Amino acid sequence: MIDLRSDTVATPTEAMREAAAQAPVEHGEHGDDPAVAAVEATAADAVGMAAAVFVPSRTMANQIGAQVHTARGQSVLVERASHSYRRGSGGLAQHAGLQARAFDGGETGCPTAEQVAAEITAGGGHRPEVGLACVEIAHGANGGVVAPVDAFAAAVETAHEHDVPVHVDGTRVFSAATALGVDAATLLSPVDSVAVCLSTGLGAPMGAVLAGSESFVASARRVQKMYGGGMQQAGMVAAAGVCALENRHRVHEDHENARRLAEDLDALPGVTAAEPDTNIVLVDTRDADVTATAFLAGCEKEGVLGTADGEYTVRFCTHRDIGGADIAAVVSAAGEVV
């Protein structure tokens, strides 16, 4: 099967497997595991932060970040289609005691400066005080669309003007930086913290890193223990995470494959696929009079997997395991279906 359901299905490289096999087995919670220290230092440097903590998943990283930044009873600004809001299983309320205040970020998922100001000041004393703004880079639900650098920076600046910190769900932060033609550290320089997933698109078997200031990370380590996120012999997965971060500069290949896939699918009768910003291709099958479910069922028979993102919208996500021959095979399968 050619699996385009998500870039989280990217498998570990041989280098990652070898690094995991050879990693020293020390005690992660005692702070003496060299591979854990390496993945934290590498990630912090990659995103321009002072320090970082290695945790099991990006969901946990985002939840820890929200709790450290806020006080119980406050609210957090989140985009209504963001991962933290739609797919966090209510963790913002359950873990941090926060009320999510969802805004409509439009195509990019990034609020305007005016939206940020309006949300923070709305309601006076009748609404919970805004304690955090959470922004997703490379908005996954909207096809990996990336907000312009200036718009992103303006939203962050406005939040800071109102003494509200900004946390970035950086699941695809390196894809976003590549699409914008800037270094990830430069892109993230205005924000207070960022969660980086090591498996999404990068191929590590598991893990994420939460980065920020030294004091922020010190607090995050305490909350990590509370969540059960402390790990003992974590070097085996942390070592693979270091390899994943070292391979972050190759995500442009996934973007190129996504653009080729979109262009070739768009040429099929009844199929529309806009040029993607990053590595997520949204395919509209309405004019072919084929629902997304039927389209995907036909593709699966041809050896291709994708996901439905609406009645007539199919989502394909390229990643490190997908090459040029796979793209040609996907287009051929889609052609057979329509």
Side-chain angles (χ1 to χ4, degrees):
M1 282 288 180
I2 299 172
D3 195 344
L4 299 176
R5 289 174 297 177
S6 171
D7 42 6
T8 59
V9 304
T11 54
T13 63
E14 288 303 315
M16 292 179 196
R17 296 174 187 271
E18 181 66 20
Q22 299 299 323
V25 181
E26 302 293 345
H27 199 291
E29 287 195 281
H30 291 170
D32 55 9
D33 191 299
V36 171
V39 76
E40 290 175 347
T42 303
D45 181 69
V47 296
M49 296 290 172
V53 55
F54 179 56
V55 299
S57 72
R58 65 96 171 242
T59 298
M60 182 180 287
N62 285 322
Q63 295 291 338
I64 293 173
Q67 182 159 338
V68 171
H69 280 303
T70 60
R72 298 184 71 84
Q74 289 185 321
S75 63
V76 54
L77 298 182
V78 287
E79 211 281 328
R80 65 181 185 181
S82 66
H83 186 278
S84 294
Y85 184 59
R86 292 202 312 171
R87 306 188 68 180
S89 298
L92 293 170
Q94 180 69 23
H95 299 310
L98 298 174
Q99 177 173 302
R101 189 181 297 183
F103 62 84
D104 182 355
E107 184 181 45
T108 67
C110 180
T112 64
E114 292 75 18
Q115 275 182 302
V116 173
E119 288 293 341
I120 292 174
T121 58
H126 298 285
R127 300 177 72 181
E129 176 188 31
V130 176
L132 178 67
C134 183
V135 181
E136 188 172 316
I137 295 285
H139 200 342
N142 286 3
V145 178
V146 180
V149 174
D150 291 347
F152 172 68
V156 175
E157 181 181 3
T158 302
H160 285 166
E161 288 173 353
H162 291 84
D163 297 321
V164 173
V166 177
H167 171 75
V168 167
D169 178 351
T171 302
R172 296 180 176 86
V173 65
F174 301 117
S175 279
T178 298
L180 293 168
V182 300
D183 182 72
T186 301
L187 176 64
L188 295 168
S189 60
V191 308
D192 300 281
S193 61
V194 57
V196 179
C197 184
L198 301 175
S199 60
T200 306
L202 299 180
M206 63 168 284
V209 177
L210 176 62
S213 68
E214 290 185 0
S215 61
F216 169 84
V217 170
S219 297
R221 291 188 189 279
R222 290 193 291 272
V223 178
Q224 175 194 21
K225 304 295 191 298
M226 186 193 310
Y227 283 12
M231 296 177 283
Q232 283 77 50
Q233 285 72 39
M236 298 180 71
V237 287
V242 174
C243 294
L245 287 167
E246 291 172 346
N247 290 334
R248 66 187 183 275
H249 302 296
R250 58 144 306 280
V251 297
H252 69 90
E253 298 173 18
D254 301 334
H255 296 190
E256 292 165 4
N257 282 328
R259 284 193 290 270
R260 176 185 166 189
L261 177 61
E263 181 179 355
D264 290 352
L265 288 174
D266 193 64
L268 296 176
V271 173
T272 302
E275 180 178 346
D277 280 1
T278 54
N279 64 319
I280 300 175
V281 178
L282 296 182
V283 184
D284 191 309
T285 62
R286 186 181 307 273
D287 289 344
D289 197 27
V290 180
T291 65
T293 301
F295 183 88
L296 289 168
C299 284
E300 186 170 357
K301 291 179 181 178
E302 299 292 329
V304 175
L305 297 177
T307 55
D309 201 36
E311 185 177 4
Y312 290 99
T313 303
V314 171
R315 185 178 187 263
F316 287 135
C317 195
T318 59
H319 50 82
R320 191 186 49 74
D321 292 346
I322 301 299
D326 298 309
I327 298 302
V330 173
V331 175
S332 176
E336 290 293 326
V337 174
V338 298

